[in-house]
Amino acid sequence: MFMLVCNDKLCRGNATAIPWLQSSDIVSLRSHTCGELRPEHAGEKVALYGWVQYLRQDLFVILRDYSGLTQVLISQDDGSLKEKLGELTVESVVKVTGTVRRRPEGQENTNMPTGDIEVLAENLEVLNTCRKLPFEIKDFVKKSEALRMQYRYLDLRSTRMQQNLRLRSQLSMRMREYLCHQHGFVDVETPTLFKRTPGGAKEFLVPSREPGRFYSLPQSPQQFKQLLMVAGVDRYFQFARCYRDEGSKPDRQPEFTQVDIEMSFVEQAGVMALVEGLLQYSWPPELGGLSQPFPCITYSEAMRDYGSDKPDTRFHMKLVDISEVFVNTKIEFLKSALGQSEGSIQAICVPDGGVWNNVFNFVLAVRPEGTLKSPLSKHLSPSDTEGLLGETRRPLLGKLRLQCAELLEARGVALRDPTAFHFLWVVDFPLFLPKEGEPGSLESAHHPFTAPVAQDAHLVYTEPLQVRGQHYDLVLNGCEVGGGSIRIHKAAEQLHVLKNILKEDVSVLSHLLEALDSGAPPHGGIALGLDRLISLMVRAPSIRDVIAFPKSFRGHDLMSQAPDYVSEEDLKPYHISVTWPPAKTEEK
Amino acid sequence: MFMLVCNDKLCRGNATAIPWLQSSDIVSLRSHTCGELRPEHAGEKVALYGWVQYLRQDLFVILRDYSGLTQVLISQDDGSLKEKLGELTVESVVKVTGTVRRRPEGQENTNMPTGDIEVLAENLEVLNTCRKLPFEIKDFVKKSEALRMQYRYLDLRSTRMQQNLRLRSQLSMRMREYLCHQHGFVDVETPTLFKRTPGGAKEFLVPSREPGRFYSLPQSPQQFKQLLMVAGVDRYFQFARCYRDEGSKPDRQPEFTQVDIEMSFVEQAGVMALVEGLLQYSWPPELGGLSQPFPCITYSEAMRDYGSDKPDTRFHMKLVDISEVFVNTKIEFLKSALGQSEGSIQAICVPDGGVWNNVFNFVLAVRPEGTLKSPLSKHLSPSDTEGLLGETRRPLLGKLRLQCAELLEARGVALRDPTAFHFLWVVDFPLFLPKEGEPGSLESAHHPFTAPVAQDAHLVYTEPLQVRGQHYDLVLNGCEVGGGSIRIHKAAEQLHVLKNILKEDVSVLSHLLEALDSGAPPHGGIALGLDRLISLMVRAPSIRDVIAFPKSFRGHDLMSQAPDYVSEEDLKPYHISVTWPPAKTEEK
């Protein structure tokens, strides 16, 4: 009879832990990071790992890691160390063991958190030599965005990018804590290989191994979050990867992240209170406090006062209708404007910045056909003016308001506080809009699952264009950072909207309609655009500055050259072939 | 001069909060969940929202939400309430306002956490009526998996699925806390629209709008995590969505989640210690404690003792080579086995369960050509035997060991503790394996970025098949739940492996090779399979039981019918067309 005793043993590789190290870190080989040594460590033996930031006077190595810099002193008496120093290149990775000591008096560097100490090297080991790089890893070195993207792994070494990525991680974690621990939300992952949604022209396709059948990468987990409410999950959230194929757009990414939230048994006020609490809880203290509740205006107020549904409320300069003042005017262009149906005269109130001596207020005559007459015109380039006139009337004034602000700021008027964060809710949007290019047809202003405002619910059957939706947008400094709604939870209402108003093929949403008929609770939610939110928080010029590996505006990964050509052989399992455009076959 | 004061106001929809409610929840309309009322709430007015679980005796409504059940009593004196009760259907969603009271003595239900109270309804409002469902939402009702998947939003209402999703969320949150707060990890999101990797035959393709160019959905963020180390991020983690197109596999999903971890300046022992700490920190207390460190065996020990590189160590029954004992045997089949080169006689030691009176030990004669002679044979079906013989020799014995265990357990021997969790590290895997079907060629046992064990590093250039890799697998109860390695961090070594050993086209990985040459730190990491890990924790028969919306084994979403047919019009922007297989064109 053979009965062996299990003789499992520990065999964890050849750990080279240094016996005299006092590190409390069970994981790492280093004793300290490059940012943590202080005078109280003087006399301690340490092992530091990092990148060579600078080499100074054939004497010092400035070592860098994510946490900071430490000065390492190479003794001139140690020939072998001196030799190693001579061969060292910047950005090489080294291990230094040595002893911490206070810097000699007068040599402290008060700009450096570790500036009171240095490490006297006993040994220096080059772990990896760095080649000559395409650009220096110094924060003051300017480089083109294309170069930054091609060598993103170098670009990410910059202080700014390190801070942005770390802030993003910390903010996400705080948001999760608030949702999970304070409000009992459940983090549920939903599929990204799904089915095309009606009107999903911006959805990437993924061929399957079944001829003619494709998955689709959804623009949001909208259907799944609603189904989770039907499933009784009660409170759901997810940091959801979303996909949108818009071709080339300068500041959009084909994949992006939204903080996706949905709740049962809630009304608009509840979702708004939750989001205010979420942002207050997770807001980095160094950015200043957020006062609550956030201001809230209706869509029509926003359009009236700011000519925009995402007004920048860091400055006033509201639009004011002054047609009444000029009702008996003799000034020809004003008279002519007012003489036309829906003609009006609007003013933008600008602060007296003393920059335009004679023009404290811009008086604008707006004609229904969309032409503009204003003393401001001479300050605008022809292309600006043309761009403005391409807009419909209120957005035209809204853009003009922003252009005024930019002009004033360019001339030195302190209009918008660059450290201010102005959150704003915009509510009571129209539920439907006339469909562009198809007179008589309607489309959803946001999406077909938004419930009407209770008082307008009966109008859905009679005057759908008059219906306001229970939709809310969250705006920060003039940018939309979130949007959500209370959803339709009754199958009959949803069917009416899809079939009779939007004329959609309801068969593709039959599972959702069935779900609403299976005990769907009243529910609503919101999605926050994480990339956009963080880019505003860190005042980055582009969302690409808060994404580790972004795509170019053409959707390319400039580092790996994705998307790439694929052989016909590799396409075969998916039963697809490339239809080369006639003029470009030679590229094949 | 027009200078208006901003008159932003609060306009948060028509909140219907009930003034007498004392809810501390700023978000929800309810005063309490259905699971929280206790005798101390007696006398309180409450507002409950939930699903009708049962209707009893024309008197009681049992209301359910995620947190539990509450009994609601409908007064027989209130005609309008009685009428509503009469029309109520199970799984409809209702709102009940009323007063909490102790149940009359003797009517308490000790099986129900709220069983000491009931709510005397003052009002009952039906928020959504439920149709007749395809199956009852009762835990004891058995339904086919296909039906569960088609109506997943109903299936998720079961106690078990609610628990699984919530455990998953809690475990993930604990893991994040450990990584972020205890060890300074940075959560970094990496792209899923990437480029095909060498040998990436299992990667889904995503057509772009540029003719012939495709993105690829990567099987893991392997390249990005290494690039983040080159970028100085130091410690990275991500709950990463990964994609693998394997066609139809019963317990695989085309998209799955891995807890992806990478660290700089670390050795194998550090990664293993981190993961042990991670699991101990996040392990649900109700599953019992985890003792640490986890046992660890080498790959060759695992193959020798268990015939498997992922041994189930919940039971012994190791394989023992007893060839020596039979060296002079007269028994024909044993003699013949030993007479052949590499022939051996192995025993599996089984506990005396008294189930097979005459066979306490299985004696197996294994011949090099893979035939098997054993008294066990008569207990195996022909297909079992055939399956076993399809294996090479050690895995054959390993499978036989598992089959023995199953046979014993089927006969009532308590072999494996169903509540036990046996974690095990397996280390020292071979770095390369002979490529199947291509004699003389090698392939990576895991992936081409794994570093060799230090003592074997010189053999990479001379005897690559003898090299052990710094790879570690984490095994739980005989299932692989994680795998990782220390990576090659020098460009020259990586180039040698890719070009000279694996004969890969290195141009597709030129960006990675350049990155390794730009100051790459020593680094390593691991990926844990979250779906698999959680399914083992909750002892689910399939990973589909811990995923909210899984695909069928054919990769279909049975609820929405994804993947679906797409019109030729919708394929045009992507410059692809379907190549219909000749026999199936009529399906088009």
Side-chain angles (χ1 to χ4, degrees):
Chain A
M1 177 111 167
F2 305 88
M3 182 60 76
L4 301 187
V5 177
C6 177
N7 64 344
D8 297 328
K9 63 181 166 46
L10 286 174
C11 44
R12 317 199 143 228
N14 43 320
T16 55
I18 303 159
W20 46 260
L21 281 184
Q22 299 294 311
S23 173
S24 61
D25 186 341
I26 55 167
V27 172
S28 183
L29 296 170
R30 65 187 160 221
S31 68
H32 298 80
T33 63
C34 294
E36 70 178 303
L37 292 176
R38 296 288 181 279
E40 58 263 34
H41 294 100
E44 278 185 37
K45 291 205 173 194
V46 295
L48 302 184
Y49 288 73
W51 285 260
V52 176
Q53 175 84 356
Y54 298 106
L55 292 162
R56 278 190 192 139
Q57 305 158 11
D58 292 332
L59 201 63
F60 295 113
V61 179
I62 312 299
L63 209 59
R64 183 196 73 233
D65 68 12
Y66 72 95
S67 70
L69 301 167
T70 297
Q71 176 166 299
V72 176
L73 174 64
I74 305 295
S75 162
Q76 297 302 294
D77 309 334
D78 187 328
S80 114
L81 271 187
K82 264 193 84 173
E83 195 179 323
K84 279 184 189 166
L85 182 64
E87 289 165 5
L88 216 49
T89 58
V90 287
E91 294 302 316
S92 288
V93 181
V94 299
K95 170 187 178 182
V96 171
T97 50
T99 308
V100 184
R101 64 175 208 184
R102 276 187 164 276
R103 291 197 195 180
E105 217 173 303
Q107 291 184 26
E108 296 92 348
N109 182 346
T110 52
N111 295 323
M112 207 171 159
T114 64
D116 288 331
I117 60 94
E118 60 193 4
V119 172
L120 181 61
E122 276 152 33
N123 195 19
L124 184 151
E125 187 183 340
V126 180
L127 302 171
N128 216 349
T129 300
C130 182
R131 67 180 168 126
K132 175 98 180 70
L133 296 180
F135 54 82
E136 278 189 81
I137 314 295
K138 304 288 183 286
D139 290 340
F140 54 82
V141 174
K142 290 258 177 280
K143 44 253 166 196
S144 74
E145 182 160 283
L147 202 63
R148 288 178 55 201
M149 292 301 151
Q150 189 183 347
Y151 299 99
R152 186 62 161 178
Y153 48 87
L154 300 178
D155 184 46
L156 292 179
R157 288 185 191 164
S158 70
T159 310
R160 187 181 53 143
M161 287 307 303
Q162 288 280 326
Q163 283 171 347
N164 290 358
L165 291 186
R166 281 161 204 276
L167 179 95
R168 183 179 179 130
S169 173
Q170 284 155 12
L171 183 86
S172 301
M173 190 62 191
R174 291 284 288 173
M175 286 182 162
R176 291 175 182 280
E177 286 170 3
Y178 178 81
L179 293 169
C180 288
H181 299 331
Q182 312 258 323
H183 290 287
F185 277 77
V186 186
D187 183 0
V188 182
E189 299 177 67
T190 60
T192 57
L193 292 172
F194 193 46
K195 172 182 157 154
R196 208 142 231 238
T197 46
K202 291 175 177 173
E203 289 174 3
F204 285 101
L205 291 172
V206 181
S208 78
R209 286 170 189 255
E210 289 175 78
R213 294 190 131 181
F214 293 81
Y215 298 104
S216 177
L217 299 176
Q219 289 189 51
S220 89
Q222 183 64 34
Q223 286 188 45
F224 290 112
K225 69 200 278 193
Q226 293 195 237
L227 291 168
L228 285 170
M229 295 304 105
V230 180
V233 169
D234 201 74
R235 293 184 179 186
Y236 142 92
F237 84 100
Q238 180 183 198
F239 280 61
R241 191 67 60 89
C242 303
Y243 300 85
R244 197 185 290 148
D245 180 17
E246 299 185 294
S248 304
K249 288 260 178 107
D251 207 26
R252 289 280 178 97
Q253 286 285 304
E255 51 185 317
F256 57 96
T257 302
Q258 66 186 37
V259 186
D260 200 45
I261 290 172
E262 195 80 8
M263 284 174 277
S264 294
F265 310 121
V266 73
E267 288 177 336
Q268 185 163 315
V271 181
M272 289 161 79
L274 179 93
V275 171
E276 288 166 359
L278 173 71
L279 285 166
Q280 188 168 56
Y281 183 90
S282 56
W283 198 252
E286 63 270 24
L287 296 185
L290 291 182
S291 66
Q292 293 192 354
F294 299 157
C296 179
I297 61 175
T298 66
Y299 170 78
S300 33
E301 287 166 342
M303 293 310 285
R304 184 193 68 202
D305 293 349
Y306 301 98
S308 168
D309 62 358
K310 41 179 193 287
D312 187 344
T313 50
R314 286 175 298 174
F315 65 106
H316 292 287
M317 290 173 54
K318 290 190 183 181
L319 311 178
V320 187
D321 190 318
I322 50 169
S323 308
E324 280 297 312
V325 178
F326 293 95
V327 74
N328 294 317
T329 184
K330 297 257 157 51
I331 304 166
E332 196 48 46
F333 80 91
L334 295 178
K335 198 172 163 180
S336 141
L338 284 176
Q340 297 180 37
S341 122
E342 293 192 61
S344 71
I345 300 167
Q346 304 280 334
I348 297 177
C349 318
V350 303
D352 177 359
V355 282
W356 286 308
N357 287 324
N358 303 318
V359 195
F360 296 116
N361 302 313
F362 299 129
V363 178
L364 311 165
V366 188
R367 297 169 187 145
E369 75 273 17
T371 57
L372 168 81
K373 188 139 188 181
S374 159
L376 183 72
S377 304
K378 63 184 170 202
H379 299 288
L380 296 173
S381 72
S383 69
D384 280 346
T385 312
E386 202 180 313
L388 285 171
L389 291 178
E391 303 287 336
T392 49
R393 289 193 300 143
R394 287 319 282 189
L396 182 155
L397 292 170
K399 291 216 170 172
L400 206 54
R401 174 177 172 269
L402 290 176
Q403 295 234 2
C404 287
E406 277 163 31
L407 280 169
L408 285 166
E409 286 174 342
R411 294 183 182 216
V413 180
L415 200 63
R416 289 177 283 200
D417 177 355
T419 68
F421 293 99
H422 279 230
F423 280 102
L424 174 75
W425 290 109
V426 182
V427 300
D428 284 356
F429 283 81
L431 190 55
F432 305 107
L433 297 171
K435 202 167 185 172
E436 219 170 301
E438 291 184 38
S441 297
L442 297 183
E443 62 185 0
S444 296
H446 293 94
H447 61 56
F449 312 115
T450 306
V453 164
Q455 301 97 300
D456 299 356
H458 62 286
L459 299 172
V460 172
Y461 298 88
T462 52
E463 294 176 83
L465 274 174
Q466 297 307 309
V467 178
R468 291 163 300 164
Q470 291 195 54
H471 178 95
Y472 26 89
D473 265 357
L474 182 62
V475 174
L476 171 58
N477 294 354
C479 296
E480 186 194 324
V481 292
S485 63
I486 301 301
R487 328 296 183 185
I488 297 171
H489 68 277
K490 294 197 173 173
E493 281 178 27
Q494 186 66 73
L495 182 64
H496 173 70
V497 166
L498 289 170
K499 191 172 162 188
N500 302 333
I501 298 184
L502 301 173
K503 321 286 185 199
E504 292 281 3
D505 171 9
V506 293
S507 70
V508 289
L509 284 173
S510 58
H511 55 284
L512 188 74
L513 290 165
E514 268 193 310
L516 294 183
D517 226 3
S518 307
H523 62 287
I526 196 165
L528 305 177
L530 188 65
D531 309 293
R532 168 67 56 212
L533 176 65
I534 295 173
S535 73
L536 290 169
M537 287 170 67
V538 303
R539 301 181 193 93
S542 160
I543 59 169
R544 289 187 292 280
D545 288 326
V546 300
I547 295 172
F549 297 100
K551 302 280 192 297
S552 75
F553 87 100
R554 288 184 65 207
H556 285 202
D557 179 315
L558 297 181
M559 184 180 64
S560 72
Q561 302 306 325
D564 203 1
Y565 294 100
V566 166
S567 73
E568 281 186 34
E569 196 56 33
D570 284 350
L571 297 179
K572 264 189 191 159
Y574 300 106
H575 308 280
I576 55 168
S577 58
V578 178
T579 50
W580 296 94
K584 295 199 172 177
T585 33
E586 74 277 7
E587 275 191 22
K588 190 173 179 178
Chain B
M1 178 108 169
F2 305 89
M3 182 60 79
L4 301 188
V5 178
C6 178
N7 63 343
D8 297 329
K9 62 179 166 45
L10 284 174
C11 44
R12 316 197 145 230
N14 44 318
T16 54
I18 302 158
W20 46 259
L21 282 183
Q22 298 296 311
S23 172
S24 62
D25 186 341
I26 55 164
V27 172
S28 183
L29 296 171
R30 66 188 160 220
S31 68
H32 298 80
T33 64
C34 295
E36 69 177 304
L37 293 175
R38 296 290 180 277
E40 59 264 33
H41 294 99
E44 279 185 36
K45 291 206 170 191
V46 295
L48 302 184
Y49 289 72
W51 285 260
V52 176
Q53 174 84 354
Y54 298 107
L55 292 162
R56 276 190 192 137
Q57 304 158 11
D58 292 334
L59 201 62
F60 294 113
V61 179
I62 312 298
L63 209 59
R64 182 195 75 232
D65 68 14
Y66 72 95
S67 69
L69 302 166
T70 297
Q71 177 166 300
V72 175
L73 174 64
I74 305 295
S75 162
Q76 297 302 294
D77 309 333
D78 188 327
S80 117
L81 272 186
K82 265 195 81 173
E83 196 179 321
K84 280 185 190 166
L85 182 65
E87 289 165 4
L88 216 49
T89 58
V90 287
E91 295 302 316
S92 288
V93 180
V94 299
K95 170 186 177 182
V96 170
T97 51
T99 308
V100 184
R101 64 175 209 185
R102 275 186 166 278
R103 292 198 193 179
E105 216 171 304
Q107 292 186 27
E108 297 91 349
N109 181 345
T110 52
N111 294 324
M112 206 172 161
T114 65
D116 288 331
I117 59 93
E118 61 193 4
V119 172
L120 181 62
E122 276 151 34
N123 196 17
L124 185 152
E125 187 184 341
V126 180
L127 302 171
N128 216 348
T129 301
C130 182
R131 68 184 169 123
K132 175 96 180 72
L133 296 180
F135 54 82
E136 277 188 81
I137 314 297
K138 304 286 182 289
D139 291 340
F140 54 81
V141 174
K142 290 257 178 279
K143 46 252 164 194
S144 75
E145 181 159 283
L147 201 63
R148 288 177 54 200
M149 291 301 151
Q150 189 184 347
Y151 299 99
R152 188 60 162 179
Y153 49 86
L154 299 178
D155 184 45
L156 292 179
R157 289 184 192 165
S158 70
T159 309
R160 187 182 53 145
M161 287 307 302
Q162 287 280 327
Q163 283 170 348
N164 290 357
L165 290 187
R166 281 161 204 276
L167 179 96
R168 183 179 179 130
S169 173
Q170 284 154 14
L171 183 87
S172 301
M173 191 62 192
R174 291 284 288 174
M175 287 182 161
R176 290 174 183 280
E177 286 169 3
Y178 178 81
L179 293 168
C180 288
H181 299 332
Q182 312 258 323
H183 291 287
F185 277 78
V186 185
D187 182 0
V188 183
E189 299 178 66
T190 60
T192 57
L193 291 172
F194 193 46
K195 172 182 158 153
R196 208 143 231 236
T197 47
K202 291 175 177 172
E203 290 173 3
F204 285 102
L205 292 172
V206 181
S208 78
R209 287 171 189 256
E210 289 175 77
R213 295 190 130 180
F214 294 80
Y215 297 104
S216 175
L217 299 176
Q219 288 188 52
S220 88
Q222 183 65 33
Q223 286 189 46
F224 291 112
K225 68 200 278 193
Q226 294 194 238
L227 290 169
L228 285 170
M229 295 304 106
V230 180
V233 169
D234 200 77
R235 294 184 178 186
Y236 142 91
F237 84 101
Q238 180 183 198
F239 280 62
R241 191 67 60 88
C242 303
Y243 300 85
R244 198 185 288 149
D245 180 18
E246 298 186 296
S248 304
K249 287 260 177 107
D251 207 27
R252 289 280 178 100
Q253 285 286 303
E255 50 185 317
F256 57 98
T257 302
Q258 66 186 38
V259 186
D260 200 45
I261 290 172
E262 195 80 9
M263 283 175 279
S264 294
F265 311 122
V266 73
E267 287 178 335
Q268 185 163 316
V271 181
M272 289 161 78
L274 179 93
V275 170
E276 288 165 358
L278 174 71
L279 285 165
Q280 189 169 55
Y281 183 90
S282 57
W283 199 251
E286 63 270 23
L287 296 186
L290 292 182
S291 66
Q292 294 193 352
F294 299 157
C296 178
I297 62 175
T298 65
Y299 170 79
S300 34
E301 288 167 342
M303 293 311 285
R304 185 194 67 203
D305 294 348
Y306 300 99
S308 168
D309 62 358
K310 40 179 194 285
D312 186 345
T313 50
R314 286 175 298 174
F315 65 107
H316 292 286
M317 290 174 52
K318 291 190 184 181
L319 311 178
V320 187
D321 189 317
I322 50 170
S323 308
E324 281 297 313
V325 178
F326 292 96
V327 76
N328 294 317
T329 184
K330 296 258 158 50
I331 306 167
E332 195 49 47
F333 81 91
L334 296 177
K335 196 171 167 182
S336 140
L338 285 176
Q340 298 181 35
S341 123
E342 295 193 61
S344 73
I345 299 167
Q346 304 280 334
I348 296 178
C349 317
V350 303
D352 177 0
V355 282
W356 285 308
N357 287 325
N358 302 316
V359 193
F360 296 116
N361 303 314
F362 300 130
V363 179
L364 312 164
V366 188
R367 298 171 186 144
E369 75 274 20
T371 57
L372 168 81
K373 188 136 188 183
S374 158
L376 184 71
S377 304
K378 64 182 170 204
H379 298 288
L380 298 173
S381 70
S383 71
D384 280 345
T385 311
E386 202 180 313
L388 285 170
L389 291 177
E391 302 287 337
T392 49
R393 289 192 300 144
R394 289 318 285 189
L396 182 155
L397 292 168
K399 290 215 173 175
L400 207 53
R401 173 177 173 268
L402 289 177
Q403 295 234 3
C404 288
E406 276 163 31
L407 280 168
L408 285 166
E409 286 175 341
R411 292 181 184 217
V413 180
L415 201 62
R416 288 178 284 201
D417 177 356
T419 68
F421 294 98
H422 280 231
F423 280 101
L424 175 75
W425 290 108
V426 182
V427 300
D428 285 355
F429 283 82
L431 190 55
F432 305 108
L433 297 171
K435 201 167 185 171
E436 219 170 301
E438 292 182 38
S441 297
L442 297 183
E443 62 185 359
S444 296
H446 293 95
H447 61 56
F449 313 114
T450 305
V453 165
Q455 300 96 302
D456 298 356
H458 61 288
L459 298 172
V460 172
Y461 298 88
T462 52
E463 294 177 83
L465 274 173
Q466 299 305 311
V467 179
R468 291 163 300 165
Q470 292 194 53
H471 178 96
Y472 27 89
D473 266 356
L474 182 62
V475 175
L476 171 58
N477 293 354
C479 296
E480 185 194 324
V481 293
S485 62
I486 301 301
R487 327 296 183 185
I488 297 171
H489 69 277
K490 293 196 174 175
E493 281 179 26
Q494 186 65 75
L495 182 65
H496 173 71
V497 167
L498 289 170
K499 190 172 163 187
N500 303 332
I501 298 185
L502 301 173
K503 320 286 186 202
E504 292 280 3
D505 171 9
V506 293
S507 70
V508 289
L509 283 173
S510 58
H511 55 284
L512 189 73
L513 290 164
E514 269 193 307
L516 293 183
D517 227 2
S518 307
H523 62 286
I526 195 165
L528 305 176
L530 187 65
D531 310 294
R532 169 67 56 213
L533 176 65
I534 295 173
S535 74
L536 291 169
M537 288 170 67
V538 302
R539 301 179 193 94
S542 159
I543 60 169
R544 290 187 291 280
D545 288 325
V546 299
I547 294 173
F549 297 98
K551 303 280 193 296
S552 76
F553 87 99
R554 289 183 64 207
H556 285 203
D557 179 314
L558 298 181
M559 184 180 64
S560 73
Q561 302 305 326
D564 201 3
Y565 294 101
V566 166
S567 73
E568 282 187 33
E569 195 56 35
D570 283 350
L571 297 179
K572 265 189 192 160
Y574 300 107
H575 308 280
I576 55 169
S577 57
V578 178
T579 50
W580 295 94
K584 295 199 171 176
T585 33
E586 73 278 4
E587 275 189 22
K588 188 173 180 177

